[in-house]
Amino acid sequence: MFKICPNCGAHNTATAKFCTRCGTSLAGVVATAETAVQSAQPTSENEASTANTAAVSEQSSVPSSLTSSSAQNQPVTPQQAQSQVTPPDNSQQQVSPQPADTQTQSQQTAQGPAPTAQPYQQADQTQQQAQTPPEEPNPTVEATKKYAGSYWRYLVDSIKHPATVTRPYHQYFGLTSLAITIVSLALTIALMTGSAVSSLPGAIASNVLMTFLKLVFLVAVLMIAVVAVYYLVVNGMLGDRRRSFLTFTTEYAFHCNWMVFFSVFTLLMQMLGMINIGSIFLIWLLLSLGSGLFVISGTYMLFTAQSTNRFDKIYAYLIVGILLVIVFLIIMTFGLSSILGGIGQGINDFGRSFNF
């Protein structure tokens, strides 16, 4: 006895539940003898097609219960068994034929987007690369620009109304004005003496340069000392403690900011080669006006201070004068002696160069 696989037609044992060749379930297949199977098969293709048509018509007309009962009593042909038994595994199910258009669409879906979409994708990628985020500005550069703009407004306000401080300014603006004035004057003097120093021997030129640097440092210390003396008198003797030292320096320089323009103008004249006898007189006049404004500003700050301890401002002014003389003597004692020593050494070196 054998069970014939309705899927592939392989012969299996009578007790087999699945086909040994293709794995199709043989639960509904009846075991038959080999001779019965051969007799049941059609003798020709026409008879096979006729038998299949008859079987299909009988299955459609007879209820399923009768068909199943009769199938147990009658031998089942391979074609009938294939139409009755469904494979348990989805992978073994037969796929119904699809139209040509549907197959073409499924193949295109499996292959991915059409080649015509690639240029658009490349264009999108290029556009995304082109739309890179802008570079962030440098915080240091932006802060410097903001500081320079505010300082320029501070200078303009001081030129328009040098006696009236209408609003608060940055606390370092006063030191900035003093630094610009000192550096401009130092460069002017350096350019004036540059041509003469260049013609001297190397040792003498270096000595003159060191003397010049000491003089610039001495002037800077002297200006800061003057502001400090006025601040101590206003803050300590008169009791006006509204401002810190840096804020006091900013307001002090506000009243004498003309010296910034005088020193820068002198430097420009020297750089452009416009220095002659007449221009030298103009330069000394501007420097004298700047120095006078610097001294007047301290006096103005003293007499416009808000006294809280009833100390007379005239006496405070006299005390300021005495303190300034003491500071000037101290600075000149140490600084000027060093400068004079450098000048004397330079003269000796100059004399040795001529074998004196």
Side-chain angles (χ1 to χ4, degrees):
M1 301 292 288
F2 296 95
K3 285 185 179 181
I4 300 175
C5 178
N7 184 28
C8 63
H11 289 69
N12 300 278
T13 59
T15 59
K17 295 182 179 181
F18 297 96
C19 178
T20 58
R21 179 182 296 177
C22 63
T24 303
S25 177
L26 303 176
V29 179
V30 179
T32 57
E34 184 177 2
T35 56
V37 174
Q38 292 177 356
S39 61
Q41 291 180 354
T43 57
S44 63
E45 295 180 358
N46 294 329
E47 292 177 357
S49 60
T50 304
N52 291 334
T53 304
V56 172
S57 61
E58 288 177 0
Q59 289 179 1
S60 60
S61 60
V62 181
S64 60
S65 60
L66 295 177
T67 305
S68 60
S69 60
S70 61
Q72 295 177 1
N73 298 327
Q74 295 179 1
V76 181
T77 60
Q79 291 79 2
Q80 293 176 355
Q82 183 176 1
S83 62
Q84 293 177 3
V85 180
T86 58
D89 192 0
N90 294 332
S91 62
Q92 300 296 332
Q93 292 180 359
Q94 296 180 358
V95 181
S96 59
Q98 298 179 355
D101 296 339
T102 306
Q103 293 180 357
T104 304
Q105 294 178 359
S106 62
Q107 292 177 358
Q108 292 179 355
T109 305
Q111 293 176 358
T116 55
Q118 293 181 359
Y120 296 99
Q121 293 179 355
Q122 294 177 357
D124 295 339
Q125 293 177 358
T126 305
Q127 186 175 4
Q128 292 177 0
Q129 294 177 357
Q131 295 177 354
T132 55
E135 296 182 358
E136 296 182 358
N138 191 341
T140 305
V141 175
E142 295 298 324
T144 304
K145 291 180 179 179
K146 185 177 179 180
Y147 184 87
S150 301
Y151 179 73
W152 176 253
R153 185 170 64 248
Y154 165 76
L155 287 178
V156 173
D157 293 343
S158 65
I159 297 303
K160 290 180 178 179
H161 303 285
T164 306
V165 182
T166 57
R167 53 185 172 181
Y169 297 97
H170 197 282
Q171 60 180 355
Y172 291 112
F173 283 173
L175 294 179
T176 303
S177 295
L178 296 180
I180 293 175
T181 302
I182 295 171
V183 172
S184 299
L185 293 176
L187 291 176
T188 302
I189 298 174
L191 292 175
M192 285 181 178
T193 59
S195 58
V197 171
S198 61
S199 60
L200 296 176
I204 300 176
S206 61
N207 196 352
V208 173
L209 180 61
M210 290 299 298
T211 304
F212 169 73
L213 293 177
K214 291 178 182 179
L215 181 61
V216 171
F217 178 76
L218 184 65
V219 172
V221 172
L222 183 61
M223 294 180 70
I224 297 298
V226 171
V227 177
V229 167
Y230 277 104
Y231 174 75
L232 291 176
V233 172
V234 171
N235 187 276
M237 293 184 178
L238 299 181
D240 188 357
R241 297 179 175 85
R242 297 174 298 167
R243 295 155 295 193
S244 63
F245 177 72
L246 293 177
T247 305
F248 183 86
T249 305
T250 298
E251 293 188 9
Y252 192 109
F254 184 89
H255 302 307
C256 59
N257 267 336
W258 269 110
M259 65 180 182
V260 177
F261 291 94
F262 292 160
S263 60
V264 173
F265 177 75
T266 303
L267 177 61
L268 291 177
M269 289 183 63
Q270 180 63 43
M271 293 176 63
L272 296 176
M274 300 173 60
I275 302 298
N276 49 35
I277 298 177
S279 60
I280 291 176
F281 176 78
L282 177 62
I283 289 173
W284 282 109
L285 176 63
L286 294 178
L287 293 178
S288 300
L289 289 176
S291 301
L293 284 174
F294 184 75
V295 175
I296 292 173
S297 297
T299 306
Y300 181 81
M301 293 285 292
L302 178 66
F303 282 97
T304 56
Q306 295 181 1
S307 178
T308 59
N309 53 11
R310 296 181 180 180
F311 191 85
D312 193 273
K313 295 180 180 179
I314 295 295
Y315 293 129
Y317 181 71
L318 292 176
I319 294 174
V320 166
I322 295 172
L323 293 176
L324 289 178
V325 171
I326 295 173
V327 169
F328 182 80
L329 290 176
I330 294 173
I331 293 176
M332 290 301 172
T333 300
F334 294 96
L336 191 60
S337 61
S338 177
I339 294 174
L340 292 177
I343 294 175
Q345 184 66 32
I347 294 174
N348 292 331
D349 295 337
F350 184 75
R352 292 193 188 97
S353 64
F354 288 97
N355 295 323
F356 287 164

